[in-house]
Amino acid sequence: MSSSKPTPAAWTIENFLEVKNGQLHIDGVSAIDLGRKFATPLFVFSEARIKQNIERLKKAERVIGCPLKICYAAKANSNMAILRTVKEAGSDLEVNSGGELFKALKIGFKPEQIIFNGTSKTEAELESAINAGIYAIQSDSLYEIELTEKVARRLNKKANVSLRLVPEIETNTHSGLQTALLTSKFGMMPDEALSAFRRWHDAEFLNLCGIHLHIGSQTPDAEPYTEAFKTLFENLVKIYEETNLKLSHINLGGGFPVNYLRDEAQAADFPHAQQELFSATLEPSDVLQKAWRGVKEVAENAGAAHLLENITLLLEPGRSVIADAGICLTTVCNRKERPLQNPKIDLTESKIQSPKSKIQSDVWLLTDAGFNILLSMETYKWYYQLISAERADEAHDFPYKLAGPLCDGGDVYFDIEGQNRLPDYRQLPENVQPNEILVLLNCGAYSIAQMFQYNGRQLPAIVLIKETGEVKLIRKRDTFEDLLTNDLF
Ligand SMILES: *Cc1c(COP(=O)(O)O)cnc(C)c1O
């Protein structure tokens, strides 16, 4: 028997993002109802999805031969209710500042669940971390290890320290998201790390217990992880040979990608060089299985397998936990028409016919969601798929110029100045008018964590849909008074 049901759009995710009566529903709740009730722009998160994403990462433990410690990267999104959800899902936490450490302890992470990264930790931050007794302070330089020892000595407490390496591993991600190259600002060279282990392996106030690296964000393929894991292991062996020290953990960082471009129908007019990056799909357990096998082989050949025996593997996923668990509702506030722009795109590169063939003039839609709440759209020209929440089942094939509300020419959702990162047009159903509610997908990571009140814009409300179906306000919208909070006048 053939079903008459139309195939769902490629961006839908069963039991999470679905279309009912033409409207987008998230965890069964109508996005339109949420937009009307809480006003837009509005971020909506799914507790169930966050938990599934963490489960997916945890699954990797079954395919490797050691315990896995997942430390969610707080910088991706550190709203307190989100941190609580992550904690309840059984994840530990990676923090990057005294502020994030404060939030972590406040929401109830235990010290042994917390690791602390950062290039510029202050004495006060180190003091809080040592006093709390966290799992590892991840040192970024020889200078910082000295500083950590000084603070630990003053407090008469031993500090757990792991060393961040910069191993010269290149990935295919956006250049601003590469972090394991000598041209990046992070970490220390393996030789420096080795000298640190020689100097401090039996220090009274330092417990050098691990090594760490983070190759970058939205890493589209598995090889750099295998390479990174091997690098960590080679260093582990050297450290053992020179100091007899067996490390208790190695930390492979974060960077698992999210597929921002699942809907290829929306990829028309999309710069090809960016397609691979935005449509990356890696299964963390496959990546780790490969990496583990590679390292095990090296270990066995070198007669060093015993060094893997009591080791814990740490991961620091941010994006892969929270990006697709959050969406942003925005309302069209204005519409205008302009003569067609000169085509900049190279049609020979595009397999799909240019959407321009359909239109006589450029239709502009101005929304209420600017780069002050989605900064990556400006800094990295990041792509977030846009759909009509009210007409989610209609064909999204009419090209529009989309822009946010800010008094800033860079506040647009398309490619400017030939940077070729974003499509020239965004596709939505025909005849979108003011007041229609649109939704940006995959907005959970590096969005609300980076928002600011540029142009006197009130920061948006955030809701979390609980597994019970309850819709919980987890951040209230700023009032005008909030715009004055810290000004003295
Ligand atoms: C940003 C960051 C992460 C998280 O990266 P994602 O790409 O969001 O997974 C992990 N570790 C460190 C050190 C980072 O700077």
Side-chain angles (χ1 to χ4, degrees):
M1 237 175 66
S2 75
S3 157
S4 61
K5 258 189 161 180
T7 32
W11 53 264
T12 55
I13 296 174
E14 214 181 341
N15 297 324
F16 170 41
L17 289 179
E18 294 177 316
V19 182
K20 289 182 196 161
N21 308 321
Q23 295 186 354
L24 170 70
H25 283 63
I26 171 166
D27 283 350
V29 181
S30 155
I32 301 299
D33 289 352
L34 291 173
R36 299 230 168 89
K37 177 161 182 210
F38 295 96
T40 65
L42 175 74
F43 282 89
V44 183
F45 284 86
S46 157
E47 180 180 55
R49 186 67 182 179
I50 295 170
K51 292 190 170 174
Q52 277 165 25
N53 286 343
I54 289 172
E55 270 315 305
R56 176 176 170 227
L57 287 154
K58 282 184 156 178
K59 224 173 65 186
E61 190 167 57
R62 288 180 230 139
V63 297
I64 57 173
C66 72
L68 186 64
K69 188 174 170 78
I70 307 274
C71 300
Y72 167 69
K75 79 165 189 266
N77 185 331
S78 64
N79 170 279
M80 291 296 270
I82 297 292
L83 292 183
R84 175 183 283 135
T85 305
V86 164
K87 181 168 74 69
E88 286 172 358
S91 173
D92 295 346
L93 199 70
E94 183 263 341
V95 300
N96 229 281
S97 68
E100 284 181 354
L101 176 60
F102 165 79
K103 292 172 88 171
L105 293 168
K106 184 123 184 147
I107 204 67
F109 281 95
K110 298 199 183 73
E112 62 268 24
Q113 291 184 287
I114 302 171
I115 58 177
F116 190 163
N117 265 302
T119 56
S120 316
K121 300 180 201 80
T122 63
E123 282 194 42
E125 287 175 325
L126 291 170
E127 186 172 324
S128 313
I130 296 167
N131 264 335
I134 66 169
Y135 186 84
I137 295 168
Q138 319 227 97
S139 269
D140 206 69
S141 69
L142 295 177
Y143 170 76
E144 196 181 80
I145 304 172
E146 275 175 17
L147 193 64
T148 307
E149 188 189 35
K150 185 178 123 188
V151 177
R153 186 179 298 278
R154 174 155 50 79
L155 299 174
N156 196 25
K157 274 195 160 166
K158 204 159 184 157
N160 299 320
V161 169
S162 168
L163 272 49
R164 176 161 182 174
L165 308 182
V166 54
E168 274 291 270
I169 294 172
E170 194 158 5
T171 71
N172 287 323
T173 191
H174 185 293
S175 61
L177 301 178
Q178 298 256 2
T179 53
L181 296 175
L182 290 180
T183 48
S184 89
K185 66 174 188 172
F186 302 98
M188 61 186 92
M189 292 175 291
D191 278 354
E192 290 177 285
L194 196 56
S195 72
F197 276 100
R198 277 191 215 112
R199 180 168 161 197
W200 284 294
H201 70 273
D202 56 0
E204 192 181 355
F205 292 102
L206 294 180
N207 169 31
L208 297 194
C209 52
I211 44 178
H212 163 236
L213 54 77
H214 170 63
I215 52 179
S217 200
Q218 186 73 5
T219 304
D221 29 50
E223 289 69 33
Y225 284 98
T226 303
E227 207 186 320
F229 205 157
K230 280 186 182 162
T231 302
L232 285 174
F233 183 72
E234 282 160 16
N235 281 279
L236 182 94
V237 173
K238 270 193 211 154
I239 290 160
Y240 176 71
E241 285 171 354
E242 295 221 9
T243 65
N244 219 19
L245 190 69
K246 281 192 184 182
L247 298 182
S248 66
H249 73 264
I250 48 180
N251 179 342
L252 208 45
F256 293 113
V258 166
N259 187 350
Y260 289 81
L261 198 53
R262 273 185 300 123
D263 189 350
E264 284 184 7
Q266 292 268 328
D269 199 18
F270 209 99
H272 265 233
Q274 300 303 312
Q275 283 200 16
E276 193 198 356
L277 177 63
F278 286 123
S279 62
T281 46
L282 278 187
E283 200 49 49
S285 53
D286 295 346
V287 173
L288 290 179
Q289 185 168 38
K290 260 192 207 129
W292 180 261
R293 277 198 196 129
V295 163
K296 218 174 150 209
E297 214 179 279
V298 175
E300 277 161 7
N301 291 340
H306 65 106
L307 291 177
L308 288 175
E309 268 162 19
N310 290 311
I311 205 120
T312 300
L313 177 65
L314 270 59
L315 294 178
E316 305 169 329
R319 191 184 298 282
S320 54
V321 169
I322 202 68
D324 72 5
I327 61 174
C328 178
L329 302 181
T330 178
T331 304
V332 177
C333 301
N334 197 350
R335 173 186 160 115
K336 53 176 97 168
E337 295 195 13
R338 290 272 167 79
L340 268 186
Q341 280 187 10
N342 290 334
K344 287 180 300 187
I345 46 162
D346 180 359
L347 289 177
T348 56
E349 258 196 51
S350 180
K351 285 199 202 83
I352 307 155
Q353 206 195 4
S354 165
K356 283 196 174 104
S357 56
K358 291 190 182 173
I359 51 173
Q360 268 72 55
S361 58
D362 280 343
V363 181
W364 283 72
L365 301 175
L366 291 302
T367 71
D368 58 10
F371 70 61
N372 66 310
I373 59 173
L374 287 164
L375 186 61
S376 300
M377 205 144 65
E378 161 64 7
T379 51
Y380 294 140
K381 304 297 161 202
W382 207 259
Y383 175 76
Y384 300 102
Q385 182 172 354
L386 190 66
I387 53 176
S388 167
E390 306 186 13
R391 297 189 280 156
D393 58 351
E394 288 185 23
H396 283 50
D397 58 1
F398 193 87
Y400 297 89
K401 288 286 186 192
L402 256 290
L406 302 178
C407 187
D408 188 312
D411 187 31
V412 295
Y413 298 16
F414 54 85
D415 193 50
I416 44 172
E417 290 149 16
Q419 290 165 319
N420 272 347
R421 290 204 186 280
L422 288 174
D424 281 351
Y425 292 83
R426 292 305 182 94
Q427 304 195 53
L428 288 166
E430 237 174 306
N431 196 28
V432 175
Q433 297 294 334
N435 297 319
E436 183 155 345
I437 295 182
L438 311 178
V439 57
L440 288 146
L441 302 181
N442 305 310
C443 283
Y446 306 109
S447 50
I448 59 172
Q450 301 181 330
M451 63 190 177
F452 50 98
Q453 297 168 328
Y454 186 36
N455 274 198
R457 296 246 149 220
Q458 296 147 273
L459 299 184
I462 308 171
V463 297
L464 177 69
I465 301 174
K466 306 279 288 178
E467 282 177 307
T468 55
E470 179 199 356
V471 176
K472 211 172 160 206
L473 187 65
I474 61 170
R475 185 188 190 281
K476 55 189 171 62
R477 180 178 307 281
D478 281 7
T479 62
F480 282 157
E481 287 298 319
D482 290 327
L483 300 176
L484 315 179
T485 308
N486 290 318
D487 286 3
L488 304 174
F489 57 100

